Amino acid sequence: QKEVEQDPGPLSVPEGAIVSLNCTYSNSAFQYFMWYRQYSRKGPELLMYTYSSGNKEDGRFTAQVDKSSKYISLFIRDSQPSDSATYLCAMSDGGYNKLIFGAGTRLAVHP
Amino acid sequence: GAGVSQSPSNKVTEKGKDVELRCDPISGHTALYWYRQSLGQGLEFLIYFQGNSAPDKSGLPSDRFSAERTGGSVSTLTIQRTQQEDSAVYLCASRLAGEETQYFGPGTRLLVL
């Protein structure tokens, strides 16, 4: 079993929909949680960063962390075709260590 | 400011040849990471540098892989005697001291024929 599980999709939604992306993990030592967006043939771009449990909002994006359930989510409101990309969750146990990534979810937002 | 840069963008090589991949981190970032992204394996950690030292090399898949960092800045990942299974995108990330977030470069796409 992988340390971080993420449904690879693909997920196809109409423009304007609310998108929910999720990851589960098994290592209770993880404290830092990130979401990256990766466009085709580009490097991952940091979207959201959260420490420990709780919610964080940035524009149309909301990240949630539930450490008791070992479950993290990224919500995208009013999705746009430009949001079409692969979304990667990543986490670490702190101490500036390596990131452990999920497999990535491919999202397609169609007009 | 400038982000992480990597070169070359693409590299095609023949099985058995050596390749060198270069990473220029964001100016002032003391930590540097190499990852590999392949279809079947996702994004996997290779090695971590703090300054010129590598406290974590646990992700290097074999002794054909090595990396160095000089002057606390540029890093080179070397793959000797390349194999077809080395074909992947090699990504570099850098991090500012005291922060957890890592910023990625565009990657080098390596194809071993």
Side-chain angles (χ1 to χ4, degrees):
Chain A
Q1 183 189 5
K2 292 185 177 182
E3 276 191 287
V4 180
E5 297 281 357
Q6 183 178 10
D7 187 337
L11 184 61
S12 181
V13 301
E15 184 175 356
I18 297 175
V19 176
S20 172
L21 304 167
N22 312 291
C23 290
T24 59
Y25 62 95
S26 57
N27 188 345
S28 57
F30 288 148
Q31 300 182 68
Y32 298 87
F33 304 91
M34 293 150 215
W35 286 95
Y36 286 86
R37 177 175 63 195
Q38 186 173 27
Y39 291 113
S40 181
R41 303 186 69 79
K42 301 288 187 184
E45 169 195 9
L46 181 67
L47 266 183
M48 300 287 284
Y49 161 65
T50 310
Y51 169 68
S52 195
S53 284
N55 294 358
K56 187 173 185 178
E57 188 173 322
D58 184 1
R60 296 184 295 111
F61 299 91
T62 299
Q64 288 185 351
V65 174
D66 182 349
K67 289 189 69 180
S68 63
S69 302
K70 297 191 181 67
Y71 187 88
I72 71 170
S73 301
L74 177 71
F75 297 95
I76 307 174
R77 290 182 298 282
D78 187 26
S79 55
Q80 302 295 309
S82 58
D83 295 328
S84 299
T86 296
Y87 290 80
L88 299 153
C89 64
M91 45 200 82
S92 79
D93 57 8
Y96 313 122
N97 289 330
K98 61 192 176 189
L99 294 176
I100 307 299
F101 282 84
T105 300
R106 273 177 45 206
L107 171 67
V109 181
H110 51 86
Chain B
V4 178
S5 61
Q6 293 186 245
S7 60
S9 306
N10 296 280
K11 177 73 177 178
V12 181
T13 191
E14 294 178 349
K15 178 182 171 181
K17 295 283 179 72
D18 297 352
V19 295
E20 280 191 357
L21 313 179
R22 176 187 167 107
C23 172
D24 270 284
I26 294 171
S27 177
H29 282 200
T30 56
L32 186 149
Y33 303 77
W34 283 97
Y35 294 84
R36 178 169 72 174
Q37 188 173 32
S38 53
L39 275 176
Q41 301 298 321
L43 231 157
E44 299 175 299
F45 166 79
L46 296 177
I47 187 169
Y48 157 48
F49 285 94
Q50 179 57 50
N52 294 335
S53 301
D56 189 353
K57 308 178 184 179
S58 63
L60 294 178
S62 75
D63 58 9
R64 295 186 296 104
F65 288 72
S66 63
E68 65 174 11
R69 190 177 184 198
T70 56
S73 182
V74 171
S75 177
T76 303
L77 177 69
T78 301
I79 309 173
Q80 296 179 310
R81 304 181 303 282
T82 51
Q83 303 294 311
Q84 288 180 332
E85 61 263 28
D86 299 334
S87 296
V89 178
Y90 289 82
L91 291 159
C92 175
S94 70
R95 174 180 59 74
L96 192 60
E99 293 187 0
E100 286 288 335
T101 48
Q102 298 179 23
Y103 297 89
F104 282 81
T108 293
R109 282 158 187 78
L110 175 66
L111 178 61
V112 182
L113 300 176

